[in-house]
Amino acid sequence: MKDLLLITPPFTQLNTPYPATAYIKGFLNTKGISAFQMDLGIEVILELFSKNGLQEMFQVASFELKVTENSNRIYSLQNDYIKTIDAVIAFLQGKNPSLARQICSGNFLPEASRFSQLDDMEWAFGTMGMQDKAKHLATLYLEDLSDFIVECVDENFGFSRYAERLGRSANSFDELYNHLKSEPTYIDKITLKILKDRVAEVQPKLVCFSVPFPGNLYSAFRCAQFIKTHFPKIKIAMGGGFPNTELRELKDQRVFEFFDFITLDDGELPIELLYNYELEITNYEFKRTFILENNEVTYINNSTRQDYKQSEVGTPDYSDLQLQNYISVIEIANPMHSLWSDGRWNKLTMAHGCYWGKCTFCDISLDYIKLYEPIAAKILVDRMEELIAQTGENGFHFVDEAAPPALMREVALEIIKRRLVVSWWTNIRFEKSFSADLCVLLKASGCIAVSGGLEVASDRLLELIKKGVTVEQVAQVTRNFTESGIMVHAYLMYGYPTQTVQETVDSLEMVRQLFELGILQSGFWHQFAMTAHSPVGMFPEEFGVIPEQNEITFANNDINFKDKTGINHDKFSFGLKKSLFNYMHGICFDYDLQDWFDFKIPTTKIPSDYIVSCLEKETDFNIKPSAKIVWIGGKPTSETFTKSKKGNSWEMTKLTFHDKTETFDISLEKDKAEWLINTLDKISVYGESKSTFAQLKSDFETYFEDFELFWYSKSIATLRGFGLLVL
């Protein structure tokens, strides 16, 4: 028996739990409030994709309407699917690695239409390891089954979303409400059976649904409907990303036939107050909460208590979640997307909100972006160590809107200092703070990838977006990350208000050059969407767009609009995505841009060497006096020898350094070598003391002359290439 039951409804990711309930449970632990959490989505998937699940699924499949030849083929092969499914799921859970050879040898998995792309396997994956290749084949096998389910069992099914169209931009509740009156679907029945057993087992006083995306909304309502019918005494609340962005103007009373409370923004204090209210600890005190009062939807924010600081919310708690049962899949040959879907990641946040908070397409008016509050690096790494101990997983995905470079630096230093072995990745802004040295440090701490918004690769539009970067700056930063061994993914945008056809073509040429030079490894084109809480949505007239206004009684986020330019940006979608797919695989750079489109486009105005020229710009060698100087290498061995010239002799010292891949040495006058050995020990990342460039210069000039001549010498340049970093 627990006080609260925290639920993520179907479906989000297959490979790792969405972190919201773990964040809330970690907070509740600090308050002594007992809670049980479940990822209902993964439990439904595992029930459906099992021997018994497939047997039943094929029995209920409907062929009332004429189905495709593909579905007929899958139905004919049902015994092969039923026979292999448990072994394949165990393999994707990491429990049956030896199956990879059988999967790759062929004639083990039944194959339908998804396998038609196999001709491209070697081209797409190159020398891909056997385990990864088998994961990809097993993923295609699951996607074939998914296609069958959509056509013959439940049209709303999707591995990472369910009935998404019912939640996307639903200004009215009518369609979703009417859908909830119909009989539960086959997927619903599996969901509700699991839910019933869990509610009976936990016996909560309050059930809290975290709904991050439109693809979770329908299931949340269906589950709430079931609880209201079968467990009428239990109160039900909804929070999470979807209500935070889309239900801020909620007016429809019918929503409260399903939910008693809907909370907005940070969930910690609102849930604590709901718990206090339900246990009659406090009376009628709420934080950012919708309730139904006198048959009217009422928003109450009468608590005078402040939201908890990030240092006070505790470490996320992943207990109760079936971490060993998540499924690693490799869907497509996009390296960043494979990070999303392959492997188990502990999710953490470096900072609440966005330190930039100016991009005009972003929901910067909402608290989750507007209110910026970083966490101290030591607290963050403490939490990392706690999660490693709890989950046994050393992989971390920092889910920030944009991780702050200064905090990333401090976190990296703390990780290295504690000698932790972790792999991590995050979202960033491509800003000039990401110097070559900082990227080397991040790599040394376990950073494997970053993703950032290049958006529209046009300086005019980047300025209009208020992105705070230029294409030249992006090129230099992506080069720094790439050369340090960190993979770079770019979010790309087309169709931004006032964007011309010429700018779309020029943007594609910029992207082509970035991939051709190898400084970008992954990307994805998104068409601009206008949201209600972004500057474009709030002040459309300033951006040359005409919104289509609808009456809002339920959800409000995506807004349909007309661009005054009259350009149909939709038609660029296929060509942009097809060209990018080829560029990511290192081919077709010599194609004319016109070749990607079946309509006439203008010739690009971007010089063919534009990005090259950006990278050839002189590096600024001026070092700020306050810059930190850090040594991440090891201790050298020393050997003294005598050097003679024109009858004079003096002592020299050869310092030999070993890094992971090679050995190198430098020779200095003996006294300077001794100073350097002592200094490297002092500025070592493993030590306690920190030195700035100014302090280093002052210390050197206590004993010698002309620090700059020493610092810019060949010997120090060698050390700079092996871990003497200016941060």
Side-chain angles (χ1 to χ4, degrees):
M1 183 184 287
K2 302 282 184 180
D3 294 318
L4 272 66
L5 175 58
L6 311 172
I7 301 176
T8 306
F11 293 108
T12 47
Q13 287 176 262
L14 295 176
N15 64 309
T16 200
Y18 193 78
T21 61
Y23 284 16
I24 293 296
K25 177 158 182 170
F27 164 74
L28 294 173
N29 291 343
T30 70
K31 297 295 168 185
I33 299 172
S34 65
F36 188 94
Q37 65 182 324
M38 65 185 300
D39 178 354
L40 192 47
I42 194 65
E43 295 192 39
V44 172
I45 290 291
L46 295 175
E47 184 75 26
L48 176 59
F49 290 92
S50 66
K51 186 175 182 179
N52 292 336
L54 288 191
Q55 283 175 331
E56 189 176 330
M57 186 269 290
F58 281 116
Q59 286 172 8
V60 302
S62 170
F63 290 84
E64 290 177 10
L65 300 173
K66 188 176 180 183
V67 299
T68 59
E69 184 182 327
N70 188 56
S71 287
N72 278 321
R73 173 174 171 77
I74 293 170
Y75 188 77
S76 299
L77 292 168
Q78 61 179 281
N79 289 332
D80 293 291
Y81 284 104
I82 291 166
K83 174 186 172 184
T84 52
I85 188 66
D86 285 348
V88 170
I89 292 295
F91 167 70
L92 291 175
Q93 291 171 328
K95 300 172 184 175
N96 189 12
S98 61
L99 192 70
R101 291 183 178 277
Q102 231 180 323
I103 291 174
C104 292
S105 66
N107 205 31
F108 174 72
L109 298 177
E111 299 179 7
S113 64
R114 294 284 183 154
F115 284 77
S116 61
Q117 61 191 271
L118 275 183
D119 292 344
D120 300 333
M121 275 286 284
E122 293 307 316
W123 168 66
F125 290 99
T127 55
M128 188 183 194
M130 184 176 288
Q131 290 288 324
D132 280 354
K133 186 174 179 181
K135 276 185 189 177
H136 179 62
L137 294 171
T139 303
L140 297 179
Y141 158 96
L142 290 181
E143 287 178 337
D144 275 334
L145 284 169
S146 174
D147 292 341
F148 179 84
I149 292 169
V150 169
E151 189 169 2
C152 302
V153 180
D154 187 341
E155 65 179 358
N156 289 314
F157 180 74
F159 279 118
S160 58
R161 58 189 62 85
Y162 185 63
E164 184 179 44
R165 65 177 183 81
L166 294 173
R168 187 174 290 285
S169 297
N171 297 155
S172 165
F173 188 49
D174 289 348
E175 187 179 5
L176 179 55
Y177 187 68
N178 290 333
H179 206 80
L180 290 162
K181 288 180 179 176
S182 62
E183 280 295 304
T185 66
Y186 177 65
I187 304 296
D188 288 339
K189 289 173 182 173
I190 296 174
T191 303
L192 298 177
K193 179 182 180 299
I194 296 169
L195 177 67
K196 180 183 179 182
D197 292 345
R198 191 58 46 79
V199 173
E201 174 192 336
V202 176
Q203 298 180 40
K205 300 176 181 70
L206 176 66
V207 175
C208 301
F209 286 91
S210 176
V211 180
F213 308 115
N216 304 89
L217 186 71
Y218 164 76
S219 273
F221 271 89
R222 183 61 91 180
C223 291
Q225 180 187 52
F226 180 85
I227 294 170
K228 283 287 179 196
T229 303
H230 295 88
F231 302 93
K233 292 183 180 178
I234 295 176
K235 298 296 185 184
I236 310 172
M238 183 208 298
F242 182 87
N244 291 352
T245 52
E246 307 222 11
L247 298 185
R248 306 186 81 87
E249 298 172 52
L250 180 63
K251 297 184 181 74
D252 199 314
Q253 301 98 317
R254 294 175 297 175
V255 171
F256 292 88
E257 294 174 23
F258 305 85
F259 292 95
D260 300 288
F261 312 102
I262 293 178
T263 70
L264 301 181
D265 302 322
D266 291 355
E268 289 85 2
L269 182 55
I271 283 183
E272 182 186 4
L273 293 174
L274 291 185
Y275 169 80
N276 291 345
Y277 177 73
E278 283 306 308
L279 269 70
E280 300 179 352
I281 297 170
T282 57
N283 186 35
Y284 210 73
E285 184 182 355
F286 298 99
K287 194 78 171 178
R288 297 185 301 273
T289 300
F290 285 108
I291 65 169
L292 192 67
E293 192 173 51
N294 300 322
N295 209 35
E296 289 289 328
V297 178
T298 307
Y299 179 71
I300 305 178
N301 189 25
N302 61 358
S303 175
T304 57
R305 293 175 58 184
Q306 297 296 309
D307 280 297
Y308 288 95
K309 294 188 177 300
Q310 291 302 293
S311 58
E312 300 169 335
V313 296
T315 301
D317 182 349
Y318 283 88
S319 60
D320 311 326
L321 297 172
Q322 300 180 16
L323 299 181
Q324 73 283 3
N325 289 337
Y326 282 84
I327 303 168
S328 277
V329 293
I330 297 180
E331 300 170 50
I332 53 175
N334 179 312
M336 180 56 78
H337 288 177
S338 74
L339 273 184
W340 279 97
S341 58
D342 183 22
R344 247 275 303 133
W345 302 98
N346 296 317
K347 304 213 175 194
L348 277 174
T349 310
M350 287 195 186
H352 182 286
C354 178
Y355 70 95
W356 180 248
K358 297 177 185 176
C359 298
T360 54
F361 61 82
C362 188
D363 292 342
I364 59 175
S365 66
L366 299 184
D367 284 0
Y368 81 96
I369 292 174
K370 180 174 65 176
L371 301 179
Y372 173 65
E373 184 202 340
I375 307 172
K378 287 187 176 181
I379 294 176
L380 199 56
V381 181
D382 284 346
R383 290 179 180 175
M384 291 174 75
E385 291 199 270
E386 286 178 51
L387 284 175
I388 291 169
Q390 182 192 111
T391 67
E393 300 285 352
N394 288 59
F396 289 86
H397 176 198
F398 292 101
V399 294
D400 297 66
E401 297 298 312
L407 182 53
M408 288 173 72
R409 178 191 69 192
E410 295 307 309
V411 168
L413 288 169
E414 191 68 21
I415 288 170
I416 296 170
K417 183 177 173 181
R418 298 191 194 188
R419 302 182 191 274
L420 290 183
V421 177
V422 294
S423 299
W424 61 275
W425 53 292
T426 191
N427 302 316
I428 61 159
R429 290 180 62 249
F430 291 120
E431 61 165 82
K432 59 188 177 185
S433 303
F434 290 109
S435 64
D437 280 14
L438 177 54
C439 291
V440 168
L441 177 76
L442 297 176
K443 172 67 176 174
S445 73
C447 180
I448 55 173
V450 294
S451 56
L454 171 53
E455 319 307 354
V456 182
S458 150
D459 284 340
R460 180 189 80 83
L461 288 164
L462 284 170
E463 188 173 343
L464 188 63
I465 288 171
K466 295 187 179 175
K467 192 73 190 174
V469 300
T470 62
V471 174
E472 177 181 300
Q473 194 174 305
V474 171
Q476 291 165 354
V477 169
T478 56
R479 184 260 321 270
N480 292 344
F481 276 112
T482 298
E483 289 185 349
S484 72
I486 295 172
M487 183 177 75
V488 186
H489 172 88
Y491 296 108
L492 305 164
M493 184 191 292
Y494 63 101
Y496 190 80
T498 75
Q499 183 174 357
T500 64
V501 171
Q502 184 69 58
E503 284 172 325
T504 300
V505 172
D506 291 348
S507 188
L508 175 57
E509 172 58 18
M510 297 276 207
V511 170
R512 185 195 70 77
Q513 291 184 29
L514 288 164
F515 275 98
E516 185 175 28
L517 290 169
I519 57 177
L520 206 53
Q521 293 78 51
S522 175
F524 191 81
W525 285 104
H526 303 257
Q527 187 165 357
F528 169 75
M530 187 162 90
T531 60
H533 311 291
S534 68
V536 180
M538 295 164 73
F539 312 105
E541 65 285 349
E542 294 180 16
F543 296 88
V545 294
I546 303 165
E548 294 179 13
Q549 301 290 359
N550 296 322
E551 184 187 1
I552 308 299
T553 58
F554 185 55
N556 182 30
N557 193 34
D558 287 5
I559 302 173
N560 292 327
F561 67 94
K562 289 178 181 166
D563 189 333
K564 288 180 181 176
T565 63
I567 296 168
N568 175 17
H569 296 287
D570 295 357
K571 64 182 182 179
F572 287 95
S573 176
F574 182 78
L576 290 173
K577 290 173 181 175
K578 185 177 180 182
S579 61
L580 185 63
F581 182 81
N582 286 277
Y583 297 159
M584 279 197 292
H585 295 110
I587 59 173
C588 300
F589 295 121
D590 56 344
Y591 279 35
D592 194 295
L593 297 186
Q594 178 64 66
D595 295 343
W596 302 115
F597 302 95
D598 57 7
F599 55 91
K600 183 68 177 168
I601 62 167
T603 304
T604 182
K605 292 184 177 179
I606 304 300
S608 60
D609 63 348
Y610 180 78
I611 299 297
V612 169
S613 66
C614 292
L615 299 178
E616 288 175 346
K617 292 279 173 76
E618 282 293 315
T619 306
D620 182 7
F621 285 106
N622 289 326
I623 298 174
K624 291 180 181 176
S626 59
K628 285 184 182 178
I629 311 299
V630 176
W631 171 242
I632 61 171
K635 291 184 178 181
T637 57
S638 60
E639 180 186 338
T640 303
F641 62 96
T642 302
K643 193 171 183 179
S644 300
K645 189 175 183 181
K646 294 183 180 179
N648 294 320
S649 61
W650 63 95
E651 286 189 302
M652 297 282 290
T653 300
K654 182 173 83 169
L655 302 179
T656 302
F657 296 83
H658 301 272
D659 81 349
K660 291 172 188 170
T661 57
E662 57 187 294
T663 300
F664 64 97
D665 55 57
I666 61 173
S667 293
L668 293 168
E669 292 136 308
K670 184 182 177 185
D671 50 357
K672 287 181 180 173
E674 288 173 351
W675 179 87
L676 182 61
I677 291 169
N678 290 331
T679 298
L680 291 179
D681 193 47
K682 277 195 285 187
I683 64 174
S684 169
V685 68
Y686 301 109
E688 290 297 330
S689 62
K690 296 176 181 176
S691 285
T692 63
F693 186 74
Q695 288 169 333
L696 222 58
K697 173 180 165 70
S698 174
D699 187 56
F700 181 88
E701 292 182 348
T702 304
Y703 309 100
F704 315 104
E705 294 180 353
D706 204 341
F707 176 70
E708 278 75 11
L709 192 64
F710 174 76
W711 180 259
Y712 292 108
S713 67
K714 188 177 177 181
S715 296
I716 298 301
T718 300
L719 285 186
R720 291 290 308 276
F722 285 94
L724 181 59
L725 306 179
V726 178
L727 303 171

